[in-house]
Amino acid sequence: MSVRKSFTLFLSIVAVSAMGVIFFSIDAATFDILKNADRSLIALAALLVVCGWCLDSMKFMLLARAAGERLPFKLSISLVWINYFGSAITPMQSGGGPFQIYLLYRHGVSVGKSIAITLVRTLQVLFLLALTVPFALMAEPEFAKEHCMMIWVVGYVMLFIVVAGFLLVVSVVRPQWIKRWSSGFLVRIRRFGFIRPRKLVKAARWVNAEIDCYNANIKLFLSAGRKWLFLSLLVALVNLWVYLSIMPCLIKALGFEVQYFECILAEALLIFLLYFVPTPGGSGIAEGGAAAVFAIFVPWNLAGIMGVIWRMLSEYSGVALGTGIALRLLGWGGAEEVMSVEDGVSADESQ
């Protein structure tokens, strides 16, 4: 599917799902409550969004320093916004990386370093989100018992921590294991006809080269760039705290009391799961999930519209800015080329 069609699909799903959750939740009292909302707290929520963008851009700058590069703030904030655009047009929010790599490469950062910077940033977000869950549960142990479905989600998150942590350590200390497993995987999918025999060796060499490049740059982070990597992790932690504070701020603006740790637990679980939703940018599931999370803390006649407002502030504002940057720098054709370069090897190998 083309980039333009993917973006249109994203907008269509968002529009339909947003109108759906609002239509099935609002009543006569909804707008009376919204009219009396604390505008200063709503403004604070918007300020938290801007603060989150700045912290995320600082994270890029620190990770670049860890890789021996220097990024200006203008470039790093563009990396933050264009990631929203790339994530919006791809399943499981996987498309932000290629656009970030393109911008970094365009400004003189090697492809290998660009891949390492974007990958480490994503892993930081996922691991910190996953680790938020047990800490929030320790603060509010009764919350999961009251909402038993969360036990299954928590179990899934903890499984991710264990598996992803194991693979991360192995990829650094025993990269040959990853090469062996990757080669075995390629052989198995060849048997199903996804890769032709004459392309198998080429695919294996490409995978091994990428693993070597990734391993070299991660080791650079952990040696010469260790100080900057640690600082980026601290900034990532503050950035996540700022982002997770947007929802409690909106709930408080409506005049409802909210247990902070309960809210960030439910919010962190939702955001974590959205990374694995197969629709573009998690659309549809994100709006319904946001309404469901808000319904834990506010009446249902407010949950739908507040879920949409939260998504507009925290995500769609970034998507709008990222789309503007992508179209100004690349246009639809250029964006198509960036995505096709990312998929070029795998597409070639499947022929």
Side-chain angles (χ1 to χ4, degrees):
M1 186 182 294
S2 69
V3 169
R4 190 192 295 266
K5 288 182 179 178
S6 295
F7 188 68
T8 302
L9 178 61
F10 167 76
L11 292 179
S12 301
I13 297 175
V14 167
V16 170
S17 56
M19 288 188 292
V21 296
I22 292 174
F23 178 79
F24 288 106
S25 61
I26 62 171
D27 60 21
T30 300
F31 296 103
D32 290 332
I33 299 174
L34 290 176
K35 276 191 271 188
N36 295 320
D38 189 329
R39 290 179 175 79
S40 61
L41 286 174
I42 294 175
L44 176 60
L47 183 61
L48 289 175
V49 174
V50 176
C51 183
W53 291 339
C54 294
L55 288 168
D56 205 359
S57 65
M58 187 185 301
K59 192 166 49 177
F60 268 114
M61 296 168 72
L62 291 170
L63 286 172
R65 288 296 300 272
E69 302 287 343
R70 289 179 181 269
L71 299 182
F73 179 79
K74 183 179 179 180
L75 172 59
S76 61
I77 195 70
S78 296
L79 291 169
V80 172
W81 288 332
I82 207 167
N83 178 63
Y84 282 98
F85 171 75
S87 298
I89 62 174
T90 49
M92 296 184 287
Q93 305 184 47
S94 59
F99 288 97
Q100 292 171 327
I101 291 167
Y102 168 80
L103 280 187
L104 287 167
Y105 180 73
R106 179 174 169 170
H107 286 79
V109 182
S110 69
V111 173
K113 286 184 178 180
S114 299
I115 292 172
I117 290 168
T118 56
L119 179 62
V120 170
R121 174 194 171 276
T122 301
L123 289 175
Q124 282 182 340
V125 173
L126 284 173
F127 274 106
L128 287 174
L129 267 176
L131 290 173
T132 299
V133 173
F135 282 110
L137 277 178
M138 284 190 287
E140 298 289 341
E142 296 300 318
F143 184 66
K145 295 178 183 178
E146 295 171 4
H147 303 85
C148 56
M149 282 297 295
M150 285 193 176
I151 296 296
W152 296 98
V153 181
V154 169
Y156 172 74
V157 171
M158 299 309 294
L159 179 63
F160 168 84
I161 293 176
V162 173
V163 174
F166 171 75
L167 291 175
L168 182 62
V169 171
V170 169
S171 70
V172 176
V173 301
R174 289 290 186 271
Q176 63 272 21
W177 290 6
I178 303 294
K179 292 180 180 179
R180 193 179 309 141
W181 295 339
S182 300
S183 298
F185 175 74
L186 289 173
V187 169
R188 284 178 173 80
I189 64 174
R190 182 192 65 80
R191 291 173 182 169
F192 290 100
F194 293 109
I195 297 181
R196 292 184 178 182
R198 62 188 179 85
K199 298 289 186 179
L200 181 62
V201 174
K202 181 181 177 181
R205 286 175 178 169
W206 178 81
V207 169
N208 288 343
E210 289 297 318
I211 292 171
D212 287 336
C213 179
Y214 158 80
N215 184 262
N217 283 288
I218 291 298
K219 285 183 176 178
L220 176 63
F221 281 172
L222 298 175
S223 55
R226 188 167 51 229
K227 176 182 72 173
W228 301 110
L229 180 63
F230 178 72
L231 287 174
S232 74
L233 187 61
L234 290 180
V235 172
L237 184 60
V238 176
N239 185 29
L240 181 61
W241 171 69
V242 167
Y243 185 91
L244 293 177
S245 297
I246 297 170
M247 186 178 286
C249 191
L250 290 175
I251 295 171
K252 189 72 175 175
L254 297 177
F256 294 93
E257 291 297 326
V258 59
Q259 293 296 321
Y260 183 75
F261 287 106
E262 290 183 3
C263 189
I264 66 169
L265 170 60
E267 192 179 0
L269 288 173
L270 172 64
I271 296 167
F272 184 88
L273 290 178
L274 289 179
Y275 276 93
F276 305 97
V277 172
T279 59
S283 52
I285 303 299
E287 290 73 36
V293 171
F294 268 98
I296 298 173
F297 307 103
V298 301
W300 177 243
N301 65 342
L302 290 168
I305 195 166
M306 291 309 298
V308 172
I309 290 172
W310 174 69
R311 289 289 294 173
M312 288 178 64
L313 276 175
S314 62
E315 295 295 325
Y316 304 148
S317 56
V319 172
L321 289 166
T323 302
I325 289 174
L327 295 182
R328 180 171 59 84
L329 295 178
L330 300 164
W332 290 113
E336 197 73 50
E337 289 179 12
V338 170
M339 294 305 295
S340 64
V341 167
E342 175 72 7
D343 298 332
V345 174
S346 56
D348 178 61
E349 288 159 359
S350 64
Q351 294 174 355

